[in-house]
Amino acid sequence: MTCMGLEAWYMNCSDEDQRKPHRLNPNRSVSLDELRKLGVFYWKLNADTYETDPELEKIRKEQGYSYMDIITIERDRLPNYEEKLKMFYEEHLHLDDEIRYILDGQAYFDVRDKEDRWIRIAMKKGDLITLPAGIYHRFTLDETNFTKAMRLFVGEPVWKAYNRPADDFDIRQKYVASLQGSLKAGDSLPTNTLKPPPSV
């Protein structure tokens, strides 16, 4: 489904280059509502004005994203480029939300759905996405081999990734419980106090 630039779909099981689209035939799109049910949230912003954008500033303030840096992923700019791409594409989870804002170029985030199927999310300039703590996911460039992204974080950044299997982590168990609607009274969701964006 295309919605103000965001497109997502279920992936095929091909062993082709990870940077290819890997769509099913026929294509099976995934809507923003379906992504939200997995805890994945999305905003469309104007990346040309990111340094002074009041909308980005408002999101950062509301969500508590106090830390920010910018990473450029392309062969001539990122040290250990090939090694990093392989690492990013390993299926993993984090103990905190992952927040990325594409300032230029394109890339893919792949996330697992409730049935453990891969969904590919195509990220383009101006797309900001949050992946909840505990979700299995991975990242890759597309065939353009370039993206520039802002990384946002609540407090001091923790870049530690835990490759699958990581089901014993409390944050993973809480995430799975939230998908199944089986959180016990007093349990908190694995994500931060995320306020979803308005419908786009």
Side-chain angles (χ1 to χ4, degrees), residues 48-107:
D48 290 329
T49 62
Y50 77 88
E51 292 177 298
T52 57
D53 183 6
E55 194 171 353
L56 174 61
E57 192 56 40
K58 181 181 176 199
I59 291 167
R60 289 188 63 184
K61 189 172 183 181
E62 286 177 352
Q63 308 299 343
Y65 300 154
S66 53
Y67 176 88
M68 179 274 289
D69 72 6
I70 293 172
I71 183 170
T72 300
I73 304 174
E74 69 177 326
R75 187 176 301 280
D76 297 334
R77 300 282 297 276
L78 185 68
N80 305 313
Y81 172 82
E82 295 290 348
E83 182 183 312
K84 290 267 175 66
L85 280 188
K86 285 179 187 169
M87 181 182 71
F88 294 155
Y89 201 62
E90 285 285 326
E91 184 175 0
H92 62 277
L93 60 74
H94 301 290
L95 305 185
D96 299 279
D97 291 358
E98 181 162 344
I99 306 107
R100 296 292 180 272
Y101 177 21
I102 305 298
L103 302 178
D104 200 3
Q106 300 169 180

Side-chain angles (χ1 to χ4, degrees), residues 81-149:
Y81 172 82
E82 295 290 348
E83 182 183 312
K84 290 267 175 66
L85 280 188
K86 285 179 187 169
M87 181 182 71
F88 294 155
Y89 201 62
E90 285 285 326
E91 184 175 0
H92 62 277
L93 60 74
H94 301 290
L95 305 185
D96 299 279
D97 291 358
E98 181 162 344
I99 306 107
R100 296 292 180 272
Y101 177 21
I102 305 298
L103 302 178
D104 200 3
Q106 300 169 180
Y108 295 126
F109 271 106
D110 301 336
V111 298
R112 292 284 192 182
D113 77 352
K114 292 180 187 180
E115 282 77 47
D116 217 34
R117 297 170 297 185
W118 280 119
I119 296 170
R120 174 150 280 188
I121 304 168
M123 299 286 292
K124 297 181 180 177
K125 182 177 178 178
D127 292 342
L128 188 154
I129 197 169
T130 64
L131 306 181
I135 193 172
Y136 282 128
H137 65 284
R138 62 190 181 190
F139 170 87
T140 187
L141 295 177
D142 69 3
E143 292 175 283
T144 62
N145 293 309
F146 167 73
T147 197
K148 178 180 178 183

